[in-house]
Amino acid sequence: MATQQVQYLLDFIDASPSPWHVVDSIETQLSAFSFVKLNETDKWSLQAGGRYYVIRDDSSIIIFVMGQQPLVKTGFKLIGAHTDSPGLRIKPNPATASDGLLRLGVEIYGSPILATFADRDLSLAGRICYKDEHGKLVSQLVQCDKPLLRLPNLAIHMNRTVNEEGLKLHKQQELPLILTRLTEQQLPCAYFSDWLQQQIDKEIESILSWDLAVYDTQQGVFWGANNEFYANSQLDNLASCHAALLALLDESVLESGNMLVCAFFDHEEIGSESQKGAAGSFLTDILERIALATKTDREDFLRALAKSFMISADMAHAYQPSFPAAYDSEHKVLVNQGPVIKVNANQRYSTSSGSEALFADCCELAGVPYQKYSHRNELGCGSTIGPITSSLIGVSCVDVGSPLWAMHSIRESAGVWDHHYMIRAMRQFFAE
Ligand code: ZN
């Protein structure tokens, strides 16, 4: 069971090389469970027990199942996560040529471990906007599924201290990725726009814009003597999105009669402040529209929010025994030892003792082990969508996640059992 669930996760990630593809993959899964797509521009009529989802700008999605009782009685049960991962994005005028090589200029998105991008079989995925034959603006997903780009390392003979000092890359000069060899007659910009045009399988006049993310073509794998670990790109945070999705799409959860919401946001890695980020209006707008569509007045809507609870799911820092000094010795969280509850007195995590207790109880009822994490005091602690959404909608929230090695590397790894445990804990929360 646990291995099967992780295989689904690896397939999900391999089919989702960019945040725009992530939402597309989720939409495909929802269609098998009779979910109805809603547009924010339409008037909504929602049925008790109905299954719906809303997408904002292709890469954030809110999925919900209507409860069987009035909203004011039940409140919302929410799980939040993010669809984006740190990495490299192609600049608007990326093509630069020198010494017969065409390279693509990139912008750094969020905080990736840049050195991990060297010597990988990289490629491009994203969306392209163009005008179709009827003069309509169209946005189309594109994915080049072969190794296309590369950032070759410098040989150790030219970088003698690399093993003592680590690989340091100049963010402007040394990150452009090699695409091809150019002849003297070929123009760099024309070459790249021709290549882009070929990615859309249609005759079109011109490409107007694009979002292109660099991704690693290597597929997910199981590893370890007993295949108890797995590795892939984007585990932060597609593993959490996937766990929440599998928890939601369980028949006992779908038929529980509870008011259930999964909110997966883009732009977490860059601070969440955008039209579709967790600090934007997306979640508040959708919750309010659910209230309006069910003729819930403003006071009852606020009462419903006061009754609501949110799990903010994002990956946690698993203990790596080679680096004991990086961890608080009393708060080592171990791979395959269960979901991690993240606690931070400065509210970098939204957890309070009350919300912590509620999630711990869910784990106990589900028969799942759990662990508690606190960051070392002299290191800056990361944050999540938890404090942001909980401030915006005034809902009690807990920050949790599965233990993960090498967060923000292009190749992260985690434990098979943790994914299974997280799904069970979330299922318990949704169904009870
Ligand atoms: Zn994350």
Side-chain angles (χ1 to χ4, degrees), residues 82 236-237 268-269 314-315 408:
H82 63 92
D236 172 13
N237 194 20
E268 191 273 345
E269 297 291 355
D314 207 340
M315 305 305 272
H408 292 195

Side-chain angles (χ1 to χ4, degrees), residues 44-342:
W44 294 358
S45 120
L46 307 176
Q47 311 301 322
R51 304 169 182 184
Y52 306 96
Y53 66 96
V54 191
I55 292 171
R56 195 177 269 193
D57 194 33
D58 298 344
S59 55
S60 290
I61 182 168
I62 295 179
I63 309 155
F64 58 94
V65 179
M66 296 298 292
Q68 295 289 357
Q69 293 193 48
L71 202 53
V72 65
K73 281 202 170 161
T74 61
F76 300 92
K77 283 174 177 275
L78 300 127
I79 300 182
H82 63 92
T83 57
D84 60 326
S85 298
L88 303 175
R89 299 285 170 85
I90 300 300
K91 289 198 174 195
N93 299 320
T96 71
S98 61
D99 306 294
L101 287 175
L102 171 54
R103 295 188 302 157
L104 297 184
V106 292
E107 197 173 356
I108 300 168
Y109 178 83
S111 314
I113 304 176
L114 290 173
T116 63
F117 284 68
D119 304 328
R120 308 292 306 185
D121 303 331
L122 304 175
S123 195
L124 291 179
R127 57 178 181 174
I128 294 181
C129 287
Y130 59 88
K131 215 174 225 185
D132 71 8
E133 61 270 32
H134 311 294
K136 204 173 149 236
L137 290 180
V138 178
S139 172
Q140 186 184 316
L141 289 182
V142 289
Q143 176 183 5
C144 173
D145 47 19
K146 74 173 203 72
L148 178 76
L149 299 165
R150 201 162 196 92
L151 179 63
N153 229 309
L154 193 59
I156 196 162
H157 314 81
M158 288 108 161
N159 191 9
R160 287 284 184 195
T161 58
V162 64
N163 291 329
E164 289 69 40
E165 294 176 9
L167 178 61
K168 293 176 186 155
L169 293 160
H170 188 282
K171 291 176 181 165
Q172 179 63 26
Q173 307 297 336
E174 294 169 354
L175 284 184
L177 305 168
I178 296 176
L179 171 66
T180 192
R181 235 191 97 70
L182 273 191
T183 64
E184 289 206 349
Q185 292 74 39
Q186 288 171 311
L187 294 170
C189 299
Y191 187 96
F192 182 64
S193 52
D194 285 352
W195 179 86
L196 262 188
Q197 197 115 350
Q198 287 162 22
Q199 305 311 302
I200 309 174
D201 218 7
K202 283 187 200 108
E203 274 297 313
I204 51 157
E205 252 178 53
S206 67
I207 287 168
L208 299 169
S209 62
W210 67 77
D211 287 299
L212 288 172
V214 173
Y215 82 96
D216 188 352
T217 54
Q218 188 183 356
Q219 302 212 316
V221 291
F222 290 90
W223 63 277
N226 299 298
N227 284 339
E228 65 269 58
F229 310 119
Y230 64 97
N232 209 342
S233 61
Q234 305 180 91
L235 294 183
D236 172 13
N237 194 20
L238 297 191
S240 301
C241 292
H242 187 257
L245 199 60
L246 284 203
L248 180 75
L249 298 180
D250 185 272
E251 275 311 317
S252 68
V253 169
L254 290 170
E255 299 302 329
S256 65
N258 293 330
M259 177 71 232
L260 309 169
V261 182
C262 280
F264 303 145
F265 301 99
D266 194 357
H267 290 163
E268 191 273 345
E269 297 291 355
I270 52 166
S272 294
E273 286 192 339
S274 71
Q275 179 210 16
K276 55 186 164 177
S281 67
F282 191 26
L283 183 58
T284 38
D285 288 351
I286 300 310
L287 297 185
E288 192 173 346
R289 291 197 61 174
I290 292 172
L292 290 170
T294 51
K295 308 272 184 290
T296 306
D297 69 25
R298 175 95 183 135
E299 185 178 31
D300 282 353
F301 175 51
L302 294 175
R303 289 171 70 200
L305 286 179
K307 273 208 171 115
S308 301
F309 189 84
M310 177 157 178
I311 293 176
S312 159
D314 207 340
M315 305 305 272
H317 300 298
Y319 182 69
Q320 212 284 37
S322 300
F323 306 104
Y327 303 84
D328 179 321
S329 59
E330 301 310 312
H331 297 91
K332 298 174 189 171
V333 295
L334 305 175
V335 167
N336 283 326
Q337 297 295 310
V340 176
I341 304 175
K342 307 180 207 175

